[in-house]
Amino acid sequence: MSRTSPLLSKLLPPLICGTATFNNQYNPDPYAIPTTAIVHEALALGVRAFDTSPYYGPAEDLLGAALDTPFVHQNFPRQDYFLLTKVGRISGNEFDYSASWTRHSIQRSLERLHTDYLDVVYCHDVEFVSPEEVLTVVTELRRIRAETRVIKYVGISGYPVTTLCELAEMILEKTGEPLDIVMSYANFTLQNTRLATVALPRLKAAGVDVVPNASVLGMGLLRRKGVPIGAQGDFHPSPEKLRAAIQAASDWSDAQDIKDKRIEKVAIRWAFENWMREGASVGSRGDPASGIPWTREKIEKYGGTKLGVSVMGVSNTEELHETMRVWRSILDGLEGGEKTAIDSGRGANDHAWSLKRQKEVQALATGIRRVLGEWVDYAWPSPPPGFINKRSAPAVPAPLPTPAASPDPQSKKALNKESSVYRSMPAI
């Protein structure tokens, strides 16, 4: 098997819209979130990549429903946006890394997302299973890629950066082909930068092409009001002493004589801005959502600036607009950013403002990390002590219920209605 050409780093947008928030971990009722409005507005603002997972409850269904609309069909051809999903994780304590479940999960994702191919498929939360199981799934995903072309790029995702490095190195050694992409979450934040300090050199040496940084708020830890409480209650794995340290850091930031000093605002900009630079060597040249019209053909022919890839998560359109404002301000502050600001219609003053804000955020970040003290670069154990995989005998039930959350009656009808895409898809 050979690596997909062109490399993912030549095409993938450096800003990805995540859909973990389309779930009852982060929100009491994911069906009450304006998911269609979020997806449509994101596309209108230039976002061209969406990350999801079967583990995120109804997220795949909700994302697929938003994309399967006249607005998207008429304005955004499928080849103009990227879909990234995952296999392997079924629930909090249930994982299936068998080849048969992998094939089933891919087919189900294709149907839910109303597409005939997936741009990226990750093995989800690889630290919960054995290296042999991860190798089984990577091998199966690559077989599907080669034989059916319903997958383009293959990667792994998880929390402990050392585990991600070890698996990337093992896969390269065992197969001779490096992973296309390795996603880490909550490991390049104001509180924890181990993705850069520990993982980056090893992942590059293992030939990994792209390393996205997800969950820049540490799964909601870096917020003034604390971790999010959804329908599943307090799911966050952070210890109470870390939460107390974050609260102290938030209080310190609030006391500073600087505008927009809330810890979450500082954390989002600091992570986006710094990973855009530090992660550039494992970043991508795709559409940066700067507000300037862009085409994939232009990227392939001429090449864009390589930027570190980040995943954002929002629960409403107001959060989306604020995140996009921050992202574009960061772009305005890059080398050549004054021209970006002018060409996008924002104006030359935005470049100067971005540089000023960059200094403010850096000063606040330095103070926040000083308050955090010994908790800087702390990583909670994953899996937790005593974890046991509930699924001991892999099986593919038929018919299969949605794993993590029950959809509403309308969504159930959509699930049970076999789509034309699904019927015409090659057997995998």
Side-chain angles (χ1 to χ4, degrees):
M1 298 182 186
S2 60
R3 204 170 197 174
T4 302
S5 180
L7 292 176
L8 182 60
S9 58
K10 292 186 176 182
L11 301 175
L12 185 69
L15 181 63
I16 300 170
C17 182
T19 63
T21 52
F22 296 4
N23 192 6
N24 59 10
Q25 270 190 329
Y26 289 91
N27 289 285
D29 181 5
Y31 293 101
I33 301 170
T35 51
T36 296
I38 290 170
V39 172
H40 288 185
E41 193 67 14
L43 286 166
L45 289 168
V47 176
R48 294 293 182 269
F50 299 89
D51 176 90
T52 188
S53 172
Y55 171 60
Y56 302 157
E60 281 192 325
D61 287 311
L62 293 170
L63 175 59
L67 294 171
D68 189 28
T69 55
F71 171 76
V72 175
H73 294 320
Q74 292 166 14
N75 296 286
F76 305 99
R78 173 64 184 89
Q79 65 268 22
D80 285 355
Y81 60 87
F82 288 72
L83 292 177
L84 304 84
T85 192
K86 307 174 185 74
V87 296
R89 184 159 200 176
I90 298 172
S91 65
N93 62 350
E94 189 172 5
F95 292 77
D96 193 331
Y97 269 58
S98 65
S100 59
W101 183 269
T102 299
R103 292 190 296 272
H104 167 79
S105 186
I106 293 298
Q107 289 184 343
R108 183 181 56 185
S109 293
L110 289 164
E111 181 179 359
R112 288 175 170 178
L113 294 168
H114 302 281
T115 184
D116 56 4
Y117 69 93
L118 301 164
D119 295 283
V120 171
V121 177
Y122 295 103
C123 303
H124 199 173
D125 289 343
V126 289
E127 69 267 27
F128 287 84
V129 298
S130 69
E132 292 75 20
E133 288 173 292
V134 176
L135 183 60
T136 294
V137 176
V138 168
T139 302
E140 181 63 16
L141 290 173
R142 288 174 173 175
R143 184 196 66 78
I144 295 170
R145 178 194 65 187
E147 295 181 5
T148 71
R149 301 188 184 278
V150 299
I151 298 172
K152 291 190 174 183
Y153 301 94
V154 175
I156 62 174
S157 72
Y159 178 67
V161 295
T162 52
T163 302
L164 294 174
C165 293
E166 290 165 1
L167 289 170
E169 292 160 352
M170 181 268 292
I171 290 166
L172 176 60
E173 179 185 356
K174 296 283 188 183
T175 70
E177 179 186 341
L179 290 165
D180 297 306
I181 186 167
V182 172
M183 182 169 69
S184 171
Y185 66 92
N187 276 302
F188 191 81
T189 70
L190 269 180
Q191 179 265 323
N192 176 6
T193 59
R194 288 169 56 82
L195 181 60
T197 58
V198 175
L200 198 53
R202 292 179 64 180
L203 292 174
K204 288 170 63 177
V208 176
D209 187 31
V210 179
V211 180
N213 177 43
S215 196
V216 298
L217 292 181
M219 299 167 65
L221 178 67
L222 291 161
R223 305 193 311 165
R224 178 190 282 171
K225 61 183 180 181
V227 300
I229 307 296
Q232 296 182 26
D234 186 349
F235 72 93
H236 205 285
S238 57
E240 288 300 326
K241 288 184 178 180
L242 172 57
R243 299 185 188 197
I246 296 291
Q247 187 60 57
S250 177
D251 292 343
W252 176 89
S253 190
D254 283 343
Q256 305 311 301
D257 187 21
I258 297 176
K259 190 179 178 182
D260 288 337
K261 56 198 173 183
R262 287 180 60 161
I263 192 169
E264 51 264 58
K265 290 198 172 188
V266 178
I268 290 171
R269 178 158 189 138
W270 185 90
F272 280 173
E273 192 155 35
N274 283 275
W275 188 248
M276 191 180 287
R277 295 182 174 91
E278 293 195 37
S281 60
V282 285
S284 62
R285 304 179 187 276
D287 187 342
S290 64
I292 301 172
W294 194 278
T295 64
R296 184 178 303 184
E297 290 73 22
K298 179 181 177 183
I299 301 167
E300 290 180 348
K301 187 174 182 180
Y302 301 110
T305 301
K306 207 172 184 183
L307 303 173
V309 179
S310 291
V311 182
M312 66 172 172
V314 300
S315 296
N316 54 61
T317 55
E318 290 77 16
E319 291 179 358
L320 172 65
H321 279 275
E322 175 61 18
T323 303
M324 291 302 299
R325 184 189 67 79
V326 171
W327 175 263
R328 287 177 171 174
S329 174
I330 295 168
L331 294 175
D332 292 343
L334 297 177
E335 183 178 352
E338 186 172 4
K339 185 176 187 302
T340 300
I342 293 170
D343 290 350
S344 65
R346 290 188 289 278
N349 290 338
D350 285 53
H351 174 69
W353 187 92
S354 178
L355 296 177
K356 175 178 176 290
R357 180 59 177 164
Q358 181 185 125
K359 292 179 180 179
E360 291 177 347
V361 167
Q362 189 57 53
L364 289 168
T366 299
I368 288 169
R369 286 171 68 83
R370 186 166 52 243
V371 174
L372 290 177
E374 63 181 343
W375 292 102
V376 169
D377 285 349
Y378 169 85
W380 49 79
S382 181
F387 171 80
I388 297 175
N389 186 0
K390 177 181 174 183
R391 177 158 293 207
S392 56
V396 180
L400 181 78
T402 304
S406 299
D408 60 17
Q410 185 175 359
S411 295
K412 286 182 179 178
K413 291 179 182 178
L415 275 172
N416 294 329
K417 183 180 179 181
E418 186 177 41
S419 69
S420 59
V421 167
Y422 187 67
R423 289 196 300 270
S424 62
M425 188 192 66
I428 60 173

